[in-house]
Amino acid sequence: MRWEASVEAQIRAAQERGEFDNLPGAGKPIAGRGLPYDESWWIKSFLEREQVPTSLLLPTPLLLRRRIEQLPDEVRNLPTEQAVRAVVADLNAEVLAWLRNPSGPRVVVRPVDADAVVRRWRDERRTAAPPAPAAEPPVPRRRSWFRRRRVA
């Protein structure tokens, strides 16, 4: 009981000093009040507050399938065929590692055909590439007004 009086005195003194004035959220209703209890409220609020992408919570096979689906967008702006093949090789290495030691739900995930991805990448570049501008004639070099003398 004695400690309760001490705590109450400290709270009252802080209120008199104005330490509880203008706190963020003052006068606003408590978030989630009136909603049914959710056991994972803290993780949901953390993900929202820290803006963590929810795709990171997916099991490995679903993440791999999502990456395979997004592969054309990922390689679209790569400059060379070797870069496209490197991205596909990295993804295939992840798929093969998962196939050797599967975990999570049983989802069909297969390695990606690199040749098909490169073919699609070439087709998209061919259709999206603007026509090359006509080559401009070279600008003639101007002779210097100062000639060097030859010293014999």
Side-chain angles (χ1 to χ4, degrees), residues 1-12:
M1 292 288 222
R2 191 169 194 187
W3 61 272
E4 287 180 21
S6 170
V7 170
E8 291 294 329
Q10 289 177 2
I11 292 174
R12 193 171 21 312

Side-chain angles (χ1 to χ4, degrees), residues 42-64:
W42 61 274
I43 189 71
K44 290 178 182 176
S45 65
F46 173 79
L47 294 173
E48 184 178 328
R49 182 180 66 244
E50 299 298 323
Q51 298 177 351
V52 176
T54 55
S55 64
L56 294 179
L57 303 175
L58 291 174
T60 305
L62 296 178
L63 275 174
L64 291 172

Side-chain angles (χ1 to χ4, degrees), residues 54-75:
T54 55
S55 64
L56 294 179
L57 303 175
L58 291 174
T60 305
L62 296 178
L63 275 174
L64 291 172
R65 289 207 33 195
R66 179 171 283 179
R67 284 204 49 210
I68 290 169
E69 289 172 1
Q70 296 171 346
L71 189 61
D73 296 331
E74 188 177 344
V75 300

Side-chain angles (χ1 to χ4, degrees), residues 48-115:
E48 184 178 328
R49 182 180 66 244
E50 299 298 323
Q51 298 177 351
V52 176
T54 55
S55 64
L56 294 179
L57 303 175
L58 291 174
T60 305
L62 296 178
L63 275 174
L64 291 172
R65 289 207 33 195
R66 179 171 283 179
R67 284 204 49 210
I68 290 169
E69 289 172 1
Q70 296 171 346
L71 189 61
D73 296 331
E74 188 177 344
V75 300
R76 180 171 292 127
N77 296 324
L78 293 178
T80 64
E81 180 180 329
Q82 289 81 14
V84 174
R85 288 188 184 277
V87 168
V88 173
D90 289 343
L91 180 58
N92 282 342
E94 290 181 35
V95 169
L96 292 174
W98 180 79
L99 288 172
R100 286 186 194 109
N101 189 13
S103 62
R106 296 189 182 273
V107 177
V108 177
V109 180
R110 294 190 178 106
V112 180
D113 180 15
D115 294 330

